[in-house]
Amino acid sequence: MPEKRYLFTPGPTPVPPEVLAVMAEPVVHHRGPDFKVTYERCLARLQEVFRTEHDVLLFTASGTGAFESAVANLVDPGERHLVVSAGNFGERWADLVGAYGADLVHLRLPWGESPSPDALAAELERSGPVEAVYLVHSETSTGVVADVEPLARVAKEAGAIVVLDAVSSLGAVPLETDAWGIDVVVSGSQKALMAPPGLGMVSVSPAALAARGSSPRYYFDWERTQKAQRKLDAPFTPAVTLVRALDVALGLILEEGLQDAFDRHVRLGRACREGIKAMGLELASPDEDRSAVVTTVRAPEELDVKSFLLDLRDRLGVQLIGGQGEWAGKVFRIGHIGYFDLFDITTALAAVEDGFVHAGIPVDRGVAVSAALNAFEHARA
Ligand code: PLP
């Protein structure tokens, strides 16, 4: 029997059968009438999920491509831009902003910290005016989901354009792009949006579009894509198959309802954390409902994280993921965004228990699974 695979990472994530099925259909031409129907609906659905009335620009690129579009369109070399980081993806903003020659102000917080509006206000006070402030909503490397609304307010009050990485949060946790005054929101297809990797998207407010930095750009030029999208005539050949997949996936999300999807993620997060704690393990991500994207577990000293993860993958077909950057070797992570249900959590936890036993670390088999079932049930009531 072929090995069954379980993908429990915070991206890529499992893709629903309806989404897989549409990708088996023949490729259509991107300037033909049938693709235009899909394209138009997909762009409209993106606006609904982004909670914005502004354009959401769609690029054939991973999430980092959408990141790069933001920096390429906003930065004037030498101009001051502020990045808040507390993990790997905040550092990516800093790297990109630096690579485009901006005068980078970096509020670099310890990994795993949740940025506070006071810290941002103090940094803005020190730095003086900045063109843009770059934030991360869900810092996938640590599991922290930031309370973005007050951070955006502070940045706005300072007159900055607010740019947000919502690659792993969009569709999983509440995000009100327009109501919270976020000018630019960047995301990707392979996380809570339940589609394969390969599409990056970015919502752009009129203020962000008007900023028009002078950095060189072509493929990622916002104005070019906006003009073309408005005529449903993509400027370059889009990944038509992925756009059709994303359209179906967004339809499923909207059919469930955004609020119901957020509630499901809260319950999944609670179940996963309770399971981990029941095993006597320590969480490295916050034990709070907002952090519903990924559960980050501090590895006990006696656990060799790399061998443990390889064992889970190769012996059980279960794919979890280790730590990034300065957390490499110290943590492992269980993702639960998108096409996830309770039994994905119990399967992941059962695999963790089994992997510990296999690694010679004693655990009571079943405690994590049982705690997760109880937490999920309790959360429902
Ligand atoms: N930002 C966050 C929070 C992410 O989780 C990821 C993906 O891992 C990225 C950015 C980068 O996206 P991609 O790998 O699609 O380029």
Side-chain angles (χ1 to χ4, degrees), residues 131-259:
E131 177 69 15
V133 169
Y134 299 77
L135 303 166
V136 178
H137 193 196
S138 160
E139 181 47 85
T140 324
S141 62
T142 64
V144 170
V145 173
D147 186 6
V148 147
E149 189 182 3
L151 291 166
R153 199 177 311 124
V154 166
K156 270 248 111 57
E157 278 164 15
I161 287 175
V162 185
V163 186
L164 182 69
D165 169 358
V167 173
S168 68
S169 58
L170 187 78
V173 297
L175 170 58
E176 292 288 340
T177 299
D178 289 355
W180 297 351
I182 305 174
D183 295 289
V184 179
V185 172
V186 166
S187 198
S189 51
Q190 79 278 23
K191 309 265 178 179
L193 300 187
M194 309 194 300
L199 295 176
M201 57 289 290
V202 50
S203 70
V204 287
S205 74
L209 280 167
R212 294 193 59 76
S214 62
S215 294
R217 56 187 180 265
Y218 189 87
Y219 186 80
F220 286 127
D221 183 64
W222 283 347
E223 197 177 49
R224 177 178 284 109
T225 291
Q226 186 202 34
K227 271 194 188 147
Q229 267 191 202
R230 286 193 168 180
K231 291 184 283 170
L232 297 179
D233 191 19
F236 315 106
T237 313
V240 287
T241 306
L242 293 180
V243 176
R244 294 172 99 189
L246 180 63
D247 174 49
V248 173
L250 293 169
L252 293 173
I253 292 171
L254 293 168
E255 197 182 313
E256 179 181 12
L258 283 178
Q259 192 53 54

